[in-house]
Amino acid sequence: MRISIIFLLALITILAATFVIKSNDIKEIFKKKKIKVIELIHNDKISKDYFFKKISVKEGQSFWKFNPFKLKKDLENFNEIKNFNFHLNWSGILQIEIDEKEPFMIWIRDENINFIDFNGSILKFDIEGEKDSIIKLFGNNANLQISKLNNLLFKKRKTLSSINSIFYQSNIGWKLILHNKKCVLLPLKKLEKVLDIFQDITNSELYSQFNLFDLRVFNRVYMSNKKC
C-alpha cells in the first residue's frame, strides 16, 4: 500500500512536470507568433509601397500587438479610399480589402500633376491610362476652389460632360474649354445663376454660331468667334 502511494505521487510529479514543460513550450510558441503576410486586395490605383508606408501594422510584427482600432484609423486617413474591411486570421495572414475612389480631375501646374477627387483633395494614384478621359484643371490653388464649381456642375450633367479642361485665375474667374473647342468664361461669384444662363444658351441657336461665351459680367453675355 505504501509503495503504491509513493508510485502514485511519483507519477503525479512526473505528469505535473510534463504539463509545466508543455505549458512553457506553448507560451514560447504564442510569444513567437507573428503577422506573416499582409495582403492588399483591389488596389488598382494605389501603389503597394505608398499604402504600406502609411499604415502602422507591418509584416513580421507580433501577432498579439495588432491593434485593429489603430489600423481602422490609418485606413480612414487615406483620401484615396472610400470603404475598407480587414481580417487577421490565426495563421498570421492579414487581409485588407479596399474600395478606391475614382479620380474626378487631374490638377496640373508646371511640372506637378495630381489626381484629385470631387472636393479637390489630392489622390496619390499610380495610373496612366485614364488621363486622357479626365477633366484637366489648371491654376495655382485651383484644387482649393474647385469644390464649389463642381457641386454646381454636377447638377448640370450635360455641361459637365462637355468639359475638356478648366482654368482658374485668382480674383478673375474660371475658363472652361469644351470638347468641341468652344470656351466659357465664368465669374467667381453667382456661379449658379450664370451657369443657368449658359445652359439656356446651349439649348438655343446662338450656341452653334459662336466659339467664346463670356459671362463674367453679371446679366451680360459677350459672344464672339475668337479662339479660346
Side-chain angles (χ1 to χ4, degrees):
M1 181 68 176
R2 188 175 178 181
I3 294 173
S4 298
I5 293 172
I6 292 172
F7 176 76
L8 181 60
L9 289 173
L11 181 61
I12 291 171
T13 302
I14 291 169
L15 290 173
T18 302
F19 177 75
V20 169
I21 291 169
K22 287 185 177 179
S23 296
N24 288 336
D25 288 343
I26 292 170
K27 286 180 181 178
E28 285 301 314
I29 292 170
F30 272 42
K31 282 181 182 179
K32 292 178 181 179
K33 191 168 182 61
K34 298 183 183 298
I35 296 176
K36 296 177 181 178
V37 178
I38 303 176
E39 295 179 351
L40 179 60
I41 303 170
H42 300 319
N43 61 307
D44 297 324
K45 303 176 183 70
I46 299 175
S47 73
K48 288 186 177 181
D49 286 344
Y50 168 69
F51 180 84
F52 289 129
K53 284 178 182 177
K54 288 203 62 170
I55 61 172
S56 54
V57 60
K58 307 297 178 185
E59 289 183 357
Q61 78 172 51
S62 170
F63 184 94
W64 309 108
K65 290 183 179 180
F66 172 66
N67 186 335
F69 301 104
K70 181 66 171 68
L71 179 57
K72 180 176 180 292
K73 186 175 180 181
D74 290 341
L75 295 172
E76 288 172 342
N77 286 333
F78 276 89
N79 285 330
E80 298 81 4
I81 296 174
K82 288 190 294 185
N83 298 298
F84 60 83
N85 60 69
F86 56 84
H87 171 70
L88 176 60
N89 62 37
W90 183 246
S91 63
I93 298 175
L94 173 61
Q95 293 180 321
I96 305 174
E97 186 175 356
I98 60 174
D99 181 14
E100 298 172 321
K101 288 183 180 179
E102 290 297 324
F104 193 70
M105 292 181 178
I106 300 175
W107 178 34
I108 303 170
R109 63 267 183 246
D110 298 326
E111 299 298 320
N112 297 312
I113 299 175
N114 293 106
F115 291 97
I116 59 174
D117 65 12
F118 187 85
N119 296 313
S121 298
I122 292 175
L123 306 173
K124 293 187 178 180
F125 284 152
D126 183 18
I127 52 178
E128 291 292 334
E130 296 183 31
K131 287 184 178 179
D132 293 337
S133 61
I134 300 176
I135 295 172
K136 283 77 176 174
L137 175 66
F138 298 85
N140 291 330
N141 298 319
N143 66 316
L144 302 178
Q145 308 296 328
I146 195 63
S147 61
K148 182 179 179 181
L149 179 60
N150 282 344
N151 279 301
L152 296 174
L153 289 172
F154 196 71
K155 298 175 185 177
K156 304 180 187 308
R157 297 299 185 93
K158 182 180 177 181
T159 301
L160 179 61
S161 64
S162 69
I163 298 173
N164 177 271
S165 54
I166 298 175
F167 293 79
Y168 168 73
Q169 290 180 296
S170 178
N171 301 319
I172 297 177
W174 300 94
K175 180 166 73 171
L176 280 54
I177 308 296
L178 310 183
H179 290 301
N180 59 10
K181 308 302 180 183
K182 296 178 185 290
C183 67
V184 187
L185 304 180
L186 303 174
L188 294 175
K189 298 180 179 180
K190 299 182 179 178
L191 274 170
E192 186 167 10
K193 292 181 179 179
V194 170
L195 285 170
D196 285 340
I197 294 170
F198 178 67
Q199 186 165 278
D200 289 339
I201 292 173
T202 62
N203 294 325
S204 72
E205 293 181 359
L206 289 171
Y207 186 66
S208 62
Q209 297 175 24
F210 298 97
N211 292 327
L212 185 146
F213 303 87
D214 188 344
L215 295 90
R216 289 175 296 180
V217 178
F218 190 62
N219 279 336
R220 291 187 183 181
V221 182
Y222 172 77
M223 292 176 278
S224 78
N225 281 314
K226 291 180 181 179
K227 292 184 177 181
C228 297

